Amino acid sequence: MEFWQGYTEQLGLFELELKSAVETKFEQYICSDSFSPTLYSKLFDAVKYLLYSGGKRLRPMLLLEFARIFGADIVNALSYAVALELIHTYSLIHDDLPCMDNALMRRGMQSVHIRFSEPVALLAGDALLNMAYEIMFDAGVFNVETARIISNNCGLNRMVGGQFLELDSIRQLHGAEKNDSAKLLFEIYRGKTSGLFVAACAGGASLADTTKNDIKCAEDFGSYLGILFQIADDYNDINDDSANIFHILSEEDGINAALSVYDKLQCALNTLARSGHDTERISECVDAVFSCFNA
Ligand code: GRG
């Protein structure tokens, strides 16, 4: 999926900021009293291994785009974009663990627990999560509301809760009547996938001088985009073993579900455009995610 053209400058800025923020944190740990870097080098390597391995950076780009749309300071927004990518990376490392998805590969490479070890992968994820908050606290301007939105949507309320629900309800998903299973799966997606998208969109918007209505609109947009992204991912991985909407609904019904989410995204885009915001790039992003159903 090509998410949007003309965004290479922001991506370049983001990659520079990511490296500099992470290296600065490592240097700070090393400079602190009694910290011996050689003792921790394996953990540093595990933290960097997946972080620098070619993720699409969709969530930080969305955060920066919402910050731009609402007129926030982009340099300051970069710290929050980095924090969000760190949280996304931790979630992937933990999701691959044997007690969760038990995935051997990620982005075409060995997953972190295979390359290092299970305890190191667990701790690398924990380190990334905490580093994300350190980086937000260190931002040029610390915005409490943005940090609140990010923590709320990445925790029990959304991402962690959604992951729990998936693990806890696997039998119900397979045993229930079709509509109930689909409803439950969408609840799982609302959490595990949409959480980070809401954090990106509403978090980015909250860095500017935005109204409650603007934040609500950014939240709705992020929530629907996360669901659409997950349905598209299911469609591309239809033969995968994990929970998948196309294992519950027919191909036609699954695509219709995606279409109805696409329509809701168009409504959110229209609301933003009516209040004078430039929605061109996020509209391209929605079309890029939806494009797999047109192929
Ligand atoms: C372990 C607390 C905890 C949560 C895990 C987000 C998540 C919850 C798990 C990731 C596994 C997964 C299949 C999530 C669905 C969303 C998805 C397709 C994520 C991958 O996102 P991309 O494609 O990843 O943006 P890249 O590799 O580009 O960064």
Side-chain angles (χ1 to χ4, degrees), residues 1 3 50 53-59 85 87-97 100-101 106-107 154-155 159-164 166-167 189 191-194 196-197 226 229-230 233-234 237 240 242:
M1 296 172 212
F3 288 105
L50 192 64
S53 70
K56 291 183 287 302
R57 314 301 197 202
L58 177 58
R59 295 150 191 85
E85 187 67 8
I87 296 174
H88 168 59
T89 310
Y90 119 74
S91 79
L92 297 179
I93 295 175
H94 281 192
D95 186 60
D96 290 339
L97 285 169
M100 301 240 173
D101 221 23
R106 167 73 59 187
R107 297 180 183 151
C154 296
M159 187 181 81
V160 172
Q163 180 77 354
F164 161 78
E166 177 167 354
L167 295 168
Y189 293 173
K192 81 161 189 175
T193 315
S194 285
L196 282 166
F197 282 80
F229 183 81
Q230 185 63 65
D233 193 62
D234 286 359
D237 285 333
D240 212 65
S242 45

Side-chain angles (χ1 to χ4, degrees), residues 91-135:
S91 79
L92 297 179
I93 295 175
H94 281 192
D95 186 60
D96 290 339
L97 285 169
C99 63
M100 301 240 173
D101 221 23
N102 196 16
L104 305 182
M105 304 286 285
R106 167 73 59 187
R107 297 180 183 151
M109 318 184 314
Q110 288 182 325
S111 43
V112 178
H113 67 278
I114 299 293
R115 171 72 181 74
F116 295 86
S117 70
E118 217 177 301
V120 170
L122 185 75
L123 294 172
D126 293 342
L128 280 160
L129 176 60
N130 283 284
M131 210 190 295
Y133 288 95
E134 287 186 68
I135 288 169

Side-chain angles (χ1 to χ4, degrees), residues 22 39 58 61 94 106 122 137-138 149 160 168 172 189 191-193 225 228 234 247 250 262 269 282 289 291:
V22 171
L39 291 178
L58 177 58
M61 290 305 108
H94 281 192
R106 167 73 59 187
L122 185 75
F137 289 132
D138 289 348
I149 289 172
V160 172
D168 198 55
Q172 266 155 281
Y189 293 173
K192 81 161 189 175
T193 315
L225 185 60
L228 186 65
D234 286 359
H247 299 168
S250 66
Y262 181 83
L269 284 171
I282 47 171
V289 176
S291 64

Side-chain angles (χ1 to χ4, degrees), residues 13-46:
L13 281 175
F14 171 78
E15 294 296 345
L16 286 176
E17 183 66 23
L18 176 71
K19 280 222 161 58
S20 131
V22 171
E23 293 308 325
T24 304
K25 283 312 332 162
F26 284 175
E27 276 161 29
Q28 284 171 3
Y29 304 145
I30 289 169
C31 289
S32 65
D33 288 347
S34 75
F35 191 101
S36 162
T38 46
L39 291 178
Y40 299 93
S41 61
K42 197 194 281 177
L43 186 56
F44 283 6
D45 289 348

Side-chain angles (χ1 to χ4, degrees), residues 42-243:
K42 197 194 281 177
L43 186 56
F44 283 6
D45 289 348
V47 162
K48 289 194 276 191
Y49 177 73
L50 192 64
L51 198 56
Y52 302 144
S53 70
K56 291 183 287 302
R57 314 301 197 202
L58 177 58
R59 295 150 191 85
M61 290 305 108
L62 273 173
L63 187 147
L64 292 178
E65 185 56 11
F66 270 81
R68 185 193 71 81
I69 288 175
F70 286 98
D73 180 301
I74 292 301
V75 173
N76 198 49
L78 278 166
S79 297
Y80 296 88
V82 166
L84 196 61
E85 187 67 8
L86 262 55
I87 296 174
H88 168 59
T89 310
Y90 119 74
S91 79
L92 297 179
I93 295 175
H94 281 192
D95 186 60
D96 290 339
L97 285 169
C99 63
M100 301 240 173
D101 221 23
N102 196 16
L104 305 182
M105 304 286 285
R106 167 73 59 187
R107 297 180 183 151
M109 318 184 314
Q110 288 182 325
S111 43
V112 178
H113 67 278
I114 299 293
R115 171 72 181 74
F116 295 86
S117 70
E118 217 177 301
V120 170
L122 185 75
L123 294 172
D126 293 342
L128 280 160
L129 176 60
N130 283 284
M131 210 190 295
Y133 288 95
E134 287 186 68
I135 288 169
M136 281 192 266
F137 289 132
D138 289 348
V141 177
F142 175 60
N143 188 315
V144 182
E145 183 57 10
T146 310
R148 192 194 63 75
I149 289 172
I150 292 177
S151 56
N152 178 268
N153 285 290
C154 296
L156 206 158
N157 181 43
R158 285 256 189 178
M159 187 181 81
V160 172
Q163 180 77 354
F164 161 78
L165 201 55
E166 177 167 354
L167 295 168
D168 198 55
S169 60
I170 202 83
R171 247 179 278 126
Q172 266 155 281
L173 262 183
H174 294 303
E177 191 268 321
K178 195 171 79 169
N179 284 341
D180 289 341
S181 295
K183 223 168 130 193
L184 180 58
L185 196 53
F186 282 124
E187 177 62 18
I188 291 168
Y189 293 173
R190 188 197 77 85
K192 81 161 189 175
T193 315
S194 285
L196 282 166
F197 282 80
V198 176
C201 301
S206 70
L207 286 165
D209 191 14
T210 28
T211 62
K212 279 206 165 116
N213 276 349
D214 289 335
I215 300 282
K216 174 80 180 72
C217 196
E219 261 172 24
D220 289 346
F221 179 87
S223 201
Y224 292 130
L225 185 60
I227 306 268
L228 186 65
F229 183 81
Q230 185 63 65
I231 303 177
D233 193 62
D234 286 359
Y235 193 60
N236 291 327
D237 285 333
I238 215 154
N239 296 321
D240 212 65
D241 277 347
S242 45

